[in-house]
Amino acid sequence: MAGHRTDAQRPGALVDAVRMHLAEAGVQPTTGSVAAALRAHRPSLGGSDVLDAVRAIQAELIGAGPLDALLTRPGVTDVLVNAPDEVWIDCGSGLHPAEGVRFPDAEAVRRLAHRLATAAGRRLDDAMPWVDARLPDGTRLHAVLPPIAAGCTHISLRTCRSRPFTMAELIARGALPPDGADLLAGIVRARLSMLISGGTGSGKTTLLAALLGLADPDERIVLAEDSAELRPAHPHVVRLQGRPANQEGLGELTLRDLVRQALRMRPDRLVVGEVRGPEVVDLLAALNTGHEGGCGTVHANAAADVPARLEALGSLAGLDRSSLHSQLRAALDVVVHVARDRLTGLRRVAEIHTVIDRGNGLSGTLPAVFLRADGRCERGPGWAGLQQTCADRGTALPAVAGGPE
């Protein structure tokens, strides 16, 4: 019948044949072994066709299939799959469709999600229809299967740079002005305790890694993260990573467990990659017991919302409101807020706040420095307090315009 495809012409049939050939031979999918298996099943292919087919098959066997080229493209930070013909990428200026990239069908998307989850050592099936994991190359994977995801498996991949951004690179990208970089460097030198707030994808982790690279080389930095994302350019970094429960519901290591262990590892700086649960209690307690210079990130719409956000997280651990706020005032010095421009997609540092006592037993924040989109830094009402706190620790902050000395 016209238009009828044989099984050998079925999408993925050649990949399946090569995979079976390699399995039977007991060899790894190297370029040579894939080429040999390919010639065994398609002897009519020419030299250039073989090379193209080898690359495509290797991407299907050990890579990210049609997404491989996107993940290796310079500047790409996120790759999102909503449907076989709906692939989106973010190159730092917002999401836009990835032209010319698609999957044969919804089953191909599901197979890729399952293979990536397996590579990360995680389970993804009907009984566990979502996964949040780190791939061997550092790429962060999140995938959701139908029927939780309507229509098609959804895949979200966030790339991981081989090295962190430097402050100079962040300045060049417009993430912060030179004066703002000098201010943040002074805050790090003064060993102020700091949280970086912002929305998803706003650049919190990127900024934190760059700032940790400014810490004194003699300091010991202990990182506690659910999923290892922070890779500061620092000679003495200890990384602790959480672990989900196994299929029997055993073996889970929470971020709170990690924070408690980190305190016993003689940290000069205790860093929590993302504060999003009861671990906030242990972090605040640690910062109140002589561990200066602690850092972390937290999801918040604005720096002024951080105390309320931490209050909500503290309630998960059973800490009452007044106790949380009293610890917060004693433990946290600075909140740095990063934002993403809705029109341009540019991620930048927007404000630096100090933590204050609102006088009613609650904590609040006070703007100390506004970092404008045009590169200007302006003082806020909290500038004098920030300047004095750093001076008390032997660090003089550079002058900031926009207010009285």
Side-chain angles (χ1 to χ4, degrees), residues 56-399:
I57 290 175
Q58 280 190 307
E60 291 292 337
L61 292 177
I62 59 175
L67 307 182
D68 251 3
L70 299 178
L71 292 171
T72 56
R73 184 184 300 179
V76 170
T77 59
D78 295 87
V79 178
L80 311 175
V81 181
N82 298 340
D85 57 350
E86 291 184 25
V87 180
W88 297 74
I89 61 173
D90 188 344
C91 298
S93 57
L95 291 169
H96 62 272
E99 300 294 340
V101 178
R102 59 171 297 145
F103 290 79
D105 49 39
E107 182 58 30
V109 181
R110 184 185 179 106
R111 286 199 304 268
L112 174 61
H114 182 269
R115 181 160 51 78
L116 293 177
T118 300
R122 299 293 175 85
R123 176 184 177 186
L124 182 63
D125 51 34
D126 291 338
M128 181 60 69
W130 58 77
V131 65
D132 186 12
R134 180 75 50 182
L135 298 177
D137 66 353
T139 300
R140 183 168 183 174
L141 162 71
H142 187 272
V144 184
L145 300 179
I148 306 300
C152 179
T153 300
H154 289 0
I155 300 175
S156 303
L157 296 170
R158 175 164 292 176
T159 61
C160 180
R161 281 171 58 92
S162 58
R163 63 175 182 81
F165 281 101
T166 64
M167 295 300 284
E169 288 173 325
L170 293 181
I171 293 171
R173 286 173 171 259
L176 74 168
D179 291 345
D182 292 340
L183 282 171
L184 291 175
I187 289 172
V188 172
R189 288 196 304 273
R191 295 180 56 79
L192 300 190
S193 299
M194 170 176 53
L195 280 181
I196 299 176
S197 63
T200 301
S202 59
K204 302 183 296 297
T205 301
T206 297
L207 177 63
L208 180 55
L211 293 177
L212 290 175
L214 303 178
D216 192 295
D218 293 335
E219 294 179 346
R220 175 179 169 90
I221 299 174
V222 181
L223 308 178
E225 299 178 271
D226 269 335
S227 181
E229 291 185 89
L230 284 167
R231 297 185 178 184
H234 191 277
H236 196 164
V237 177
V238 177
R239 297 177 175 85
L240 303 180
Q241 181 176 345
R243 185 179 65 193
N246 60 20
Q247 297 184 22
E248 290 74 34
L250 304 174
E252 181 182 16
L253 295 176
T254 68
L255 196 54
R256 190 169 192 182
D257 295 327
L258 300 185
V259 172
R260 290 173 175 173
Q261 298 309 310
L263 293 175
R264 297 174 173 85
M265 299 177 71
R266 199 236 175 253
D268 291 309
R269 291 183 188 264
L270 173 62
V271 181
V272 177
E274 182 181 336
V275 182
R276 58 181 181 183
E279 68 276 356
V280 65
V281 174
D282 300 283
L283 176 62
L284 293 179
L287 299 181
N288 273 315
T289 54
H291 292 84
E292 296 180 342
C295 309
T297 70
V298 63
H299 279 82
N301 293 327
D305 295 336
V306 168
R309 172 69 171 152
L310 297 183
E311 179 184 320
L313 297 179
S315 67
L316 298 176
L319 193 65
D320 64 84
R321 191 182 193 190
S322 60
S323 298
L324 183 283
H325 282 273
S326 63
Q327 286 202 46
L328 176 58
R329 289 192 300 276
L332 189 63
D333 298 306
V334 173
V335 175
V336 179
H337 189 70
V338 293
R340 185 166 187 169
D341 190 284
R342 292 183 179 179
L343 296 178
T344 65
L346 177 66
R347 304 172 176 94
R348 66 179 188 86
V349 181
E351 298 177 319
I352 301 174
H353 284 220
T354 57
V355 177
I356 61 168
D357 184 350
R358 290 169 51 182
N360 55 357
L362 302 180
S363 303
T365 69
L366 192 63
V369 182
F370 299 99
L371 292 87
R372 305 300 185 187
D374 60 7
R376 294 180 297 116
C377 292
E378 295 180 359
R379 295 180 189 174
W383 166 251
L386 176 62
Q387 192 178 40
Q388 185 60 52
T389 300
C390 289
D392 291 343
R393 299 193 183 186
T395 300
L397 293 181

